[in-house]
Amino acid sequence: MDCRYCSVVSQANGEDPIGTAGTVDEWLLVEVPRPWKAELWQEKPEFQPLLQVVEQLASNPMRYFKGRLLAIAPDKAYTHPEWIRVFYYQRPAQLFAQYTKQEYLLPLTQVALLAKALLFQPQNLPNFQTYRQPTDHIREILVCTHANYDLACGRFGYPFYQLLHQKYATESDSLRVWQTNHFGGHQFAPTLIDFPTGQIWGHLKADVLDCLIYRQGDVSQLQPFYRGWTGLGKFEQIAEREIWMQLGWDWLNYPKSGRIVAQDEGGIVRSLLKGIFKRVPSPKLKLVLARWNEQATWAKVQIDYTSSNNSHRGAYEATVKLTGTVTTKRKSGDDVPLTTVNQYSIDHLLKIRNS
């Protein structure tokens, strides 16, 4: 095995990918022509107006922006030769099962203006209605193939993209497969995002793709490859996987949300940060605190849900505990140092409410 690749080290050492999906409320996906260098956006001057819009929103002190801007590569099967395709996926409510989708096909000169309308000027969206595409029925799968950012995404991501595109997308008018730039977790290559659910996968193998794409068969065979659902935080993702494994495919249709009920304080520094945060509600400080809290040794979480037809509501309570550590590699390369990461499991899972 070639240990230059971070994903090879991660798999060999048994790193569990669950809880690494990140938490995202809004996704903005934009077609960007290749080549893609490591710093893709900064090296594409024609997309600087778009980048400025996103940065303006992210730096707003009055709003904690949990959003992601991703590039997708033009594809001859889908792409318009002169216009740019833009996807916008948004969390529709506190409890939800899928992100709502908007798709547009428009000139490059209009992309930044559309982004501004989507992200914080929705009253201007009627100006873009003629560019709107009726594609709510289409499932979009994004595979990271950004080799200039990490070698593993080219070595393992691109062949996986080709397999998905040729075997699954060509036979369906309700599935498209795209190449995307980095969205984190390269040690889990090949890694992909599945929309509209917003689930993220890693360490994928070809023999589980029928189960993943067709959503048939024993769901437990997908457990080792699930990085988590981006509608939840790290510890809630760990609990959500266990619920899904027990309930099966129907769980994907249940609107749900999660929250941390209690957790390890982790020392005086975290306590001080929490006290400061109460007095100064800074989005940047909230992000620092969230990342610090991800190192907790235990967390009690609650997952609330409703049935797909809203006939009943329920909740699960789970305790997530640190069970040990593994050695992994955050980025590919011969001279990249190894690092130690925490591994967690469910200590107990209990249905606490069902009405």
Side-chain angles (χ1 to χ4, degrees):
M1 300 295 284
D2 191 340
C3 291
R4 292 178 301 169
Y5 298 109
C6 55
S7 60
V8 170
V9 175
S10 174
Q11 289 187 70
N13 290 349
E15 182 179 3
D16 189 347
I18 190 61
T20 66
T23 308
V24 183
D25 290 336
E26 299 171 83
W27 299 87
L28 187 62
L29 319 175
V30 181
E31 271 188 308
V32 179
R34 288 183 177 274
W36 292 349
K37 297 184 179 179
E39 299 299 326
L40 182 154
W41 297 106
Q42 289 75 12
E43 295 164 348
K44 292 285 184 180
E46 67 272 31
F47 287 94
Q48 287 308 297
L50 168 66
L51 186 60
Q52 290 168 10
V53 170
V54 176
E55 289 176 342
Q56 177 186 350
L57 183 58
S59 62
N60 188 336
M62 303 307 295
R63 179 174 172 186
Y64 181 46
F65 178 57
K66 289 194 289 188
R68 291 297 305 267
L69 171 65
L70 291 179
I72 56 174
D75 189 298
K76 63 181 181 180
Y78 320 129
T79 297
H80 189 284
E82 298 176 359
W83 286 7
I84 301 294
R85 193 177 305 273
V86 175
F87 295 103
Y88 177 63
Y89 287 95
Q90 183 180 33
R91 181 189 189 113
Q94 181 63 23
L95 275 72
F96 75 109
Q98 298 183 351
Y99 291 86
T100 58
K101 177 187 183 183
Q102 297 181 52
E103 180 181 339
Y104 298 84
L105 194 60
L106 73 174
L108 176 60
T109 56
Q110 297 294 305
V111 169
L113 295 174
L114 172 64
K116 185 176 292 187
L118 288 168
L119 295 174
F120 54 91
Q121 293 180 350
Q123 69 274 14
N124 292 334
L125 281 175
N127 298 333
F128 300 92
Q129 190 59 36
T130 56
Y131 301 121
R132 186 81 183 265
Q133 303 297 301
T135 60
D136 288 355
H137 65 289
I138 298 181
R139 181 180 177 188
E140 315 286 354
I141 289 182
L142 281 61
V143 182
C144 181
T145 61
H146 197 176
N148 281 335
Y149 193 87
D150 192 282
L151 293 172
C153 295
R155 171 64 180 85
F156 303 107
Y158 185 72
F160 220 76
Y161 154 76
Q162 289 182 305
L163 174 61
L164 282 163
H165 199 293
Q166 296 167 7
K167 182 176 180 181
Y168 298 95
T170 55
E171 66 181 31
S172 172
D173 59 1
S174 60
L175 174 68
R176 292 186 291 201
V177 180
W178 303 86
Q179 300 179 71
T180 186
N181 70 316
H182 74 95
F183 51 83
H186 308 295
Q187 70 267 35
F188 305 118
T191 185
L192 65 80
I193 312 173
D194 190 350
F195 284 113
T197 62
Q199 293 174 296
I200 296 189
W201 300 88
H203 285 165
L204 281 165
K205 306 293 185 184
D207 59 5
V208 300
L209 283 182
D210 280 0
C211 183
L212 176 63
I213 299 300
Y214 300 131
R215 292 176 177 163
Q216 296 176 350
D218 184 2
V219 71
S220 66
Q221 66 183 295
L222 297 176
Q223 179 173 350
F225 312 103
Y226 190 35
R227 292 182 57 189
W229 181 50
T230 54
L232 299 172
K234 173 178 178 175
F235 294 111
E236 299 101 298
Q237 288 175 10
I238 298 171
E240 191 264 344
R241 179 178 70 173
E242 184 63 27
I243 299 169
W244 183 22
M245 293 300 110
Q246 292 188 16
L247 297 186
W249 292 107
D250 286 347
W251 176 248
L252 294 186
N253 299 317
Y254 283 26
K256 45 196 170 284
S257 68
R259 61 188 177 93
I260 294 178
V261 178
Q263 72 178 96
D264 156 42
E265 290 296 330
I268 189 170
V269 175
R270 190 181 294 119
S271 299
L272 288 171
L273 280 174
K274 187 177 293 183
I276 295 170
F277 173 72
K278 289 178 180 178
R279 297 191 297 273
V280 184
S282 162
K284 290 183 179 179
L285 181 55
K286 187 173 182 178
L287 180 60
V288 170
L289 182 58
R291 289 175 175 172
W292 193 280
N293 283 343
E294 287 185 351
Q295 302 306 312
T297 60
W298 64 269
K300 181 179 288 186
V301 304
Q302 181 171 314
I303 306 295
D304 297 289
Y305 70 91
T306 64
S307 62
S308 55
N309 60 4
N310 292 315
S311 62
H312 69 273
R313 294 176 174 269
Y316 284 88
E317 183 180 87
T319 300
V320 181
K321 284 192 175 181
L322 177 68
T323 54
T325 61
V326 298
T327 301
T328 191
K329 203 171 187 176
R330 295 287 192 184
K331 196 167 179 62
S332 298
D334 291 326
D335 57 350
V336 176
L338 299 177
T339 185
T340 299
V341 296
N342 291 342
Q343 300 286 273
Y344 296 87
S345 65
I346 299 298
D347 187 61
H348 86 277
L349 178 67
L350 177 68
K351 182 179 284 189
I352 59 173
R353 187 174 72 250
N354 193 9
S355 60

